[in-house]
Amino acid sequence: MKLNTKISTQVYGCLLLLPAACLLVLFTHYPVLETLKSSFFTTPRGLREAAFVGLENYSMLLEDDVFWQVLCNNAIFSLGTIPVSVALALIMALWVNGKLPAKSWVRAAYFTPTILPMIAVANIWLFFYTPQIGLVDKIVTALGGASHNWLGDPATVLPCLIIMTIWKEAGFFMIFYLAALQAIPPELQEAARVEGAGRWYFFRRVTLPLLMPTTLFVFINATINSFKLVDHLFIMTKGGPDNASSLLLYYIYEVAFSFWDTAYASTLTIVLLALLAVLAITQFVFIERKVHYQ
Amino acid sequence: MMRSVRKLVLALATVALMAGPAFAVDLTMYYPVSVGGPITKVIDGMIADFEKENPDIHVKAIYAGNYDDTRVKALAALRAGEPVQLSVLFSIDLFELMDQDVVVPFDDVVTSDADQQWLQSFYPALMENSSASGKVWGVPFQRSTIVMYYNKDAFREAGLDPNTPPQTWDEMVEMGKKLTKRDASGKVVRWGLHIPSTGYPYWMFGALCMQNDQVLMNGDGNTTYFDNPAVVEAMTFWRDLGGKYGIMPEGTINWGTLRQKFLEGSTAMMWHSTGNLTPVRESAPFDFGVAMLPAKKRPGSPTGGGNFYIFKKTTPEERTACLTFVKWMTAPERSAKWSMATGYIGTSHDAYATEALTTYCNDFPAAAVARDQLDYATAELSTYENARVKKLLDDAIQAVLSGQDKPEAAMAAAQKGAERILKRYR
């Protein structure tokens, strides 16, 4: 009898999970396997069927200069956006968490970039960066600098995108930090004050460790986001000039839908997946151990 | 029980009978917008008029972004089995669409002699990007050439005659130098010229090459001439406009923001699609002119823009309805109206013979420049696996303009890449 209830509870549980599991398989696992499979075939075109080619797509990838450049761009982009936007988010959160006149206005102002549609953001920044008539150039020339072709110069186009992304991301991450900060019990602060701890000491030894789970979460999100950027590239640069601002996902889109080479795009997707998996595993296995404050 | 089954069968049979040609045909089409102005509104208005005249055909027109986005959406919809019967797509997507086996030639859809005649009625220059293997695959709709917009006030200010725009490369450079205005500290306040190099660099380049009397590819779409000396020379000239002559900024110039820069007076001349004519006219705060592109060995510009295509996955009724619709949309009166609303070229001689467009061109001669330039126009870069070949050329152009590579080396690399892709199609 007891065994029976246990089994029926388990069946009940499984049934509850079933719809979600189905969706997960249908929209996540099945596409991954399908992608993996098509990375071993050629692209079917018109009347030509897909043919098995083994690892040919992967060896093509090793010789593809654009792929390596895009990978390199993406690394620079990630290293440029993640630390700065997370640090900025923390600083902003600490600030708007304190006693501040018109606090909700400041919070809203920081959060605004996040709620704007991506394409609108890209259009706004496209005009910011336009030489001569753009906001950036207006400021630079007012300060006595020379007008510069920000998005047309391979040396400045990626930094330009990095700055825009930080502007957009920091406000989003701030919300998580703000929530985490408000979850820290005020008694800790009181106790620390009684013990005579300074503000910086308290931040370093109490606040920061308590924020570590949030930091891990934010870091993983920031990492994923840095590989997810594609919308802005359509509007602002189309990956140019000469691939200087192309990122991995944009390249995949281009190969898949402009060139309609779905097999090679699948190969690139598998590489992206592997890359993200490695990053996620590293973050979870190595960092998570240090995250939880005992 | 038996009776209700019989009733059901009868009902189904009735429905099946009624679903025949007597019923309205639903057509879905995607279309792109690549220039300024309220083009979606114009299209919606035209379709409303069409439906009023043809109550048995219902057309759902979906705006789908720029040309590339529209092709992606249409092909993706076809693959997913969604009903799309026709679309306005890039004229240069022709070989790609043939290779994918998704379009039917119009020759297979037209039946009567009148229809055949209609197919012959468009400007021959526009048909270069519409036909292949002896068949017509696309019907010209929003077609353009590149024209030169120039600021007459800036010409006057620089002591130039506002009614004689440059006619040769040398004149353009010479005038460009006079038009480039610097302030006391040497900073440029107004450039002489802007040729955009994002979005459609290969298109602008096609014009420069044509002016140097060299086309970029053959008519079968399987050979390119990127490393031809005349092409390299054209590339060198483009680069020198920024570097050597200093009449244009160095680096790439954005397609999307260029019109605004022209309107703000930051450049005295710009090369852009004639499809921008109406928006420029409506918002230019100064006196502006439109001219044919200057010549080196000869004048020239590639045509550009979109054609109507009919997809293969259609029933005979749908194809007939598509034909009715395309014929209506491209008829001289509509073509004239469309040209006046946007600046795109009226696609046939008859369009310019309509009273409306004749009067318009008399009042506003700039509107006729693109048409007159058709005499010197050539096909736009169009090959098999077009997006890939185009990107090789685009990258090479941008590499040269941004100073990453020399013209010879960049063009040779692009040609090598194109060879590798196109070999299979010979």
Side-chain angles (χ1 to χ4, degrees):
Chain A
M1 186 59 200
K2 204 173 176 196
L3 190 74
N4 240 346
T5 8
K6 207 175 162 192
I7 289 177
S8 71
T9 317
Q10 277 179 350
V11 169
Y12 189 59
C14 287
L15 283 175
L16 283 177
L17 284 177
L18 193 65
C22 280
L23 291 177
L24 194 66
V25 168
L26 191 65
F27 290 109
T28 308
H29 300 140
Y30 170 73
V32 170
L33 291 177
E34 198 55 26
T35 307
L36 185 65
K37 189 185 127 202
S38 57
S39 75
F40 297 120
F41 286 83
T42 59
T43 306
R45 293 183 73 83
L47 304 169
R48 261 169 288 136
E49 289 286 311
F52 182 76
V53 287
L55 290 173
E56 199 178 279
N57 285 323
Y58 290 89
S59 66
M60 200 162 108
L61 187 122
L62 295 177
E63 291 167 20
D64 183 356
D65 294 338
V66 179
F67 167 70
W68 290 109
Q69 194 189 347
V70 164
L71 205 61
C72 186
N73 286 347
N74 221 138
I76 296 171
F77 183 75
S78 302
L79 292 175
T81 51
I82 301 170
V84 182
S85 58
V86 173
L88 211 58
L90 181 57
I91 293 168
M92 294 190 321
L94 285 170
W95 193 39
V96 298
N97 194 39
K99 290 190 186 69
L100 199 70
K103 194 158 64 179
S104 32
W105 281 103
V106 180
R107 288 182 185 176
Y110 281 152
F111 195 59
T112 315
T114 308
I115 53 174
L116 290 176
M118 301 278 255
I119 299 299
V121 166
N123 268 313
I124 295 169
W125 281 79
L126 177 64
F127 275 96
F128 278 5
Y129 285 133
T130 300
Q132 290 170 286
I133 61 168
L135 180 70
V136 177
D137 242 21
K138 288 261 195 252
I139 294 173
V140 169
T141 45
L143 295 175
S147 162
H148 187 79
N149 193 348
W150 300 100
L151 296 176
D153 180 348
T156 52
V157 63
L158 206 52
C160 282
L161 290 177
I162 289 174
I163 291 169
M164 180 196 66
T165 311
I166 291 170
W167 171 82
K168 189 165 164 63
E169 299 265 272
F172 182 53
F173 298 145
M174 178 197 77
I175 294 295
F176 297 107
Y177 273 126
L178 193 57
L181 280 173
Q182 300 198 332
I184 295 176
E187 297 90 65
L188 291 178
Q189 178 104 47
E190 284 156 21
R193 206 174 296 142
V194 170
E195 297 280 342
R199 279 179 69 180
W200 170 242
Y201 186 82
F202 177 76
F203 173 72
R204 203 159 46 89
R205 302 306 294 263
V206 181
T207 315
L208 209 53
L210 283 174
L211 288 178
M212 275 315 271
T214 312
T215 305
L216 176 70
F217 173 79
V218 165
F219 254 103
I220 291 177
N221 264 296
T223 312
I224 294 171
N225 281 356
S226 73
F227 282 92
K228 231 169 62 179
L229 186 95
V230 31
D231 337 36
H232 297 129
L233 296 179
F234 280 108
I235 305 290
M236 295 174 70
T237 65
K238 300 228 180 263
D242 191 21
N243 298 311
S245 65
S246 188
L247 299 178
L248 197 47
L249 195 60
Y250 183 78
Y251 186 51
I252 292 175
Y253 172 88
E254 211 169 36
V255 169
F257 297 109
S258 293
F259 304 169
W260 215 264
D261 188 349
T262 44
Y264 189 49
S266 304
T267 315
L268 289 166
T269 309
I270 294 295
V271 171
L272 175 63
L273 273 177
L275 213 63
L276 285 176
V278 168
L279 285 173
I281 289 168
T282 322
Q283 285 175 324
F284 274 119
V285 174
F286 296 103
I287 303 174
E288 193 168 36
R289 278 196 213 141
K290 298 181 182 165
V291 154
H292 294 291
Y293 188 63
Q294 303 291 333
Chain B
M1 177 71 191
M2 228 17 233
R3 184 178 291 173
S4 61
V5 169
R6 204 175 297 156
K7 237 183 200 164
L8 188 69
V9 170
L10 207 70
L12 282 175
T14 322
V15 170
L17 273 176
M18 282 168 67
F23 251 45
V25 183
D26 286 321
L27 299 179
T28 302
M29 80 161 193
Y30 292 110
Y31 70 93
V33 173
S34 210
V35 293
I39 285 187
T40 47
K41 224 158 76 198
V42 181
I43 295 225
D44 288 345
M46 283 167 87
I47 287 175
D49 288 347
F50 171 77
E51 287 180 340
K52 223 177 283 162
E53 285 178 38
N54 299 272
D56 53 342
I57 301 175
H58 177 69
V59 184
K60 197 164 106 196
I62 303 169
Y63 163 60
N66 63 24
Y67 287 111
D68 285 334
D69 299 344
T70 309
R71 180 190 62 239
V72 168
K73 280 186 189 143
L75 286 178
L78 285 174
R79 283 210 165 180
E82 299 232 354
V84 187
Q85 288 78 23
L86 79 167
S87 281
V88 177
L89 299 174
F90 223 157
S91 61
I92 58 173
D93 285 335
L94 172 60
F95 292 105
E96 176 75 29
L97 295 169
M98 281 166 68
D99 200 30
Q100 299 262 6
D101 197 32
V102 291
V103 286
V104 279
F106 275 83
D107 309 69
D108 293 4
V109 182
V110 300
T111 42
S112 64
D113 285 348
D115 287 352
Q116 271 296 351
Q117 241 164 24
W118 163 75
L119 265 189
Q120 306 301 323
S121 68
F122 302 97
Y123 282 114
L126 299 178
M127 293 313 278
E128 274 189 50
N129 275 124
S130 307
S131 28
S133 334
K135 289 194 167 170
V136 177
W137 301 80
V139 164
F141 177 55
Q142 48 186 56
R143 297 295 296 274
S144 55
T145 62
I146 305 165
V147 290
M148 187 165 72
Y149 297 82
Y150 65 100
N151 183 333
K152 288 190 175 176
D153 289 355
F155 268 61
R156 282 187 199 104
E157 197 192 306
L160 298 166
D161 178 3
N163 294 317
T164 21
Q167 286 175 358
T168 62
W169 283 9
D170 292 340
E171 279 177 26
M172 185 171 74
V173 169
E174 201 185 306
M175 292 184 184
K177 280 182 182 160
K178 286 186 185 148
L179 289 162
T180 305
K181 196 164 89 178
R182 290 168 199 273
D183 65 9
S185 60
K187 275 184 297 198
V188 174
V189 187
R190 180 185 63 217
W191 290 99
L193 172 70
H194 270 53
I195 300 178
S197 40
T198 70
Y200 310 94
Y202 70 91
W203 195 40
M204 295 289 152
F205 190 53
L208 286 159
C209 292
M210 192 61 192
Q211 290 150 18
N212 210 17
D213 206 14
Q214 176 62 47
V215 291
L216 285 170
M217 77 291 162
N218 68 349
D220 292 330
N222 57 15
T223 308
T224 55
Y225 309 115
F226 298 161
D227 58 352
N228 184 294
V231 172
V232 174
E233 199 187 340
M235 188 65 248
T236 312
F237 176 69
W238 193 353
R239 183 198 61 185
D240 287 347
L241 290 171
K244 193 167 151 195
Y245 307 124
I247 62 170
M248 197 168 83
E250 293 188 67
T252 55
I253 292 171
N254 195 291
W255 167 274
T257 54
L258 180 52
R259 176 161 56 97
Q260 192 59 32
K261 286 187 81 173
F262 178 70
L263 293 175
E264 302 232 351
S266 301
T267 177
M269 299 183 272
M270 72 161 177
W271 289 22
H272 220 294
S273 165
T274 188
N276 255 324
L277 182 58
T278 304
V280 168
R281 185 189 197 193
E282 275 162 10
S283 33
F286 48 78
D287 191 12
F288 78 100
V290 175
M292 282 196 220
L293 297 180
K296 169 75 175 167
K297 291 178 185 153
R298 48 158 290 173
S301 163
T303 60
N307 280 342
F308 275 111
Y309 292 95
I310 297 179
F311 293 122
K312 208 162 200 170
K313 230 188 205 165
T314 36
T315 62
E317 292 81 38
E318 284 170 346
R319 285 184 190 183
T320 316
C322 285
L323 186 65
T324 313
F325 176 65
V326 174
K327 264 164 65 183
W328 192 90
M329 288 291 274
T330 55
E333 318 79 88
R334 248 79 59 185
S335 183
K337 193 178 153 197
W338 176 240
S339 177
M340 287 185 284
T342 58
Y344 281 116
I345 305 176
T347 48
S348 65
H349 204 274
D350 295 343
Y352 283 94
T354 58
E355 205 190 312
L357 200 49
T358 313
T359 324
Y360 184 71
C361 287
N362 285 340
D363 282 358
F364 181 48
V369 172
R371 175 201 60 186
D372 297 341
Q373 195 170 240
L374 278 180
D375 292 343
Y376 310 102
T378 176
E380 180 177 9
L381 178 65
S382 173
T383 63
Y384 283 96
E385 299 205 30
N386 200 44
R388 195 168 255 169
V389 173
K390 207 169 70 181
K391 173 141 171 77
L392 285 166
L393 183 60
D394 284 352
D395 284 351
I397 293 169
Q398 293 186 342
V400 173
L401 290 179
S402 59
Q404 310 278 297
D405 213 345
K406 292 250 175 329
E408 300 80 23
M411 289 300 138
Q415 176 65 17
K416 208 172 124 203
E419 276 294 307
R420 206 168 48 222
I421 294 166
L422 295 176
K423 237 175 11 211
R424 283 193 275 152
Y425 296 96
R426 287 173 201 155

